[in-house]
Each structure stands twice: as structure tokens, then as C-alpha cells.
Amino acid sequence: MALPRLFHNDSSHFYARHGSSLCTFVLSPSLQPFHDKALKKGSLCFLMKPCTVTIIIPAYNEEQRIGTTLEAYCRFFRGHRREFKTTFSVVLNGCTDNTLHVAQRYRRTFPEIKILHFQEKIGKGGAIIEGIKASTSSLVGYV
């Protein structure tokens, strides 16, 4: 399996592409003053050892797909990205199906999965914002 390619696009966003999937990473506001220094060193994670990453996965009625998605991301990052600690934050956004139970089942196998559950619909953007607010990682990405 090829590793995702990480590239810089603007002053605060980084993008990882793996096949047809794209993940956007946002530098945590607390690290923004160190942004230019990080780029000059060619590393996103030299600022915090160990580097921490949260990948936000917004979910609305995804019971059919969320399990395979979580397993694929968790297995990939466990196997290929050991230089930083990764957390997957599933943000449930007013789901009316069984998405919560599926995510909870996968969390038993993959403790790096965190679940934020919102009863009301907050939209994909709202889910991403809530995931960013709940994160304590140095880099936050979303899919």
C-alpha cells in the first residue's frame, strides 16, 4: 500500500491524498506562530513530540459505510504512521439509523476512535467545527 502524499497548499492547510481520498489538515491555532518555522524544517510534526493528529469523520446515517471506513483508516495509520499518535473523531450529526452502534462496535477494536454524538442535525460543516473544538491534537484533519 502506498503512503499518502502530504502537501502544503496555503498558510494554514495541509492536504493528504491517497488514491481518490483527500484529507485536509488544519494547523491547530496554538501552533500557528510556529507555522513558518515548521515549513522551513520540512516537517509538520517537529513541534510536538510525539506529534498528535486528529482526523475528523463527520457522519450522517452512515451505518452501511462507517465500519469499513474506520477500519481502513485505523489499520493504515497503525501500520504506516507510527511517528505520530492518531485519533479518529467520528462526529455523529443527527443520525436516525444505527451509525452510533456501528461506531461503538469498531471503537472496541480500535481505541483510537472517539465518538461525538449530536442528536440534532448540525451539518457537515458543523460536525467539522465541533470536531476541531473537541480536539487537543497538534494537527486536525477532516474527510
Side-chain angles (χ1 to χ4, degrees):
M1 178 185 295
L3 298 178
R5 196 180 114 200
L6 192 63
F7 57 96
H8 177 259
N9 189 41
D10 59 36
S11 64
S12 62
H13 293 81
F14 298 86
Y15 303 90
R17 180 168 294 286
H18 181 64
S20 62
S21 298
L22 180 69
C23 183
T24 304
F25 291 92
V26 180
L27 194 64
S28 294
S30 62
L31 296 179
Q32 195 66 44
F34 303 103
H35 176 257
D36 291 335
K37 190 174 180 183
L39 288 178
K40 287 178 186 171
K41 291 211 176 228
S43 170
L44 295 177
C45 294
F46 86 100
L47 296 169
M48 298 185 76
K49 301 291 184 197
C51 183
T52 55
V53 175
T54 294
I55 297 177
I56 299 167
I57 303 173
Y60 174 73
N61 291 345
E62 298 287 344
E63 82 175 286
Q64 298 298 318
R65 297 186 296 189
I66 195 73
T68 55
T69 299
L70 290 172
E71 184 170 354
Y73 274 100
C74 290
R75 289 195 188 284
F76 177 82
F77 277 86
R78 277 184 176 184
H80 293 92
R81 294 295 183 198
R82 294 176 187 252
E83 66 269 17
F84 48 82
K85 179 180 181 267
T86 307
T87 300
F88 300 93
S89 184
V90 180
V91 184
L92 300 162
N93 165 21
C95 294
T96 58
D97 67 356
N98 208 24
T99 304
L100 174 61
H101 296 4
V102 174
Q104 289 172 331
R105 188 173 71 235
Y106 277 85
R107 185 176 57 187
R108 286 192 287 271
T109 304
F110 302 103
E112 59 266 48
I113 295 173
K114 307 296 180 219
I115 299 171
L116 297 172
H117 185 213
F118 292 90
Q119 295 287 336
E120 68 282 355
K121 292 180 185 178
I122 58 174
K124 182 176 181 178
I128 291 169
I129 290 168
E130 292 300 327
I132 290 171
K133 288 185 343 189
S135 175
T136 59
S137 296
S138 51
L139 287 174
V140 180
Y142 56 91
V143 292

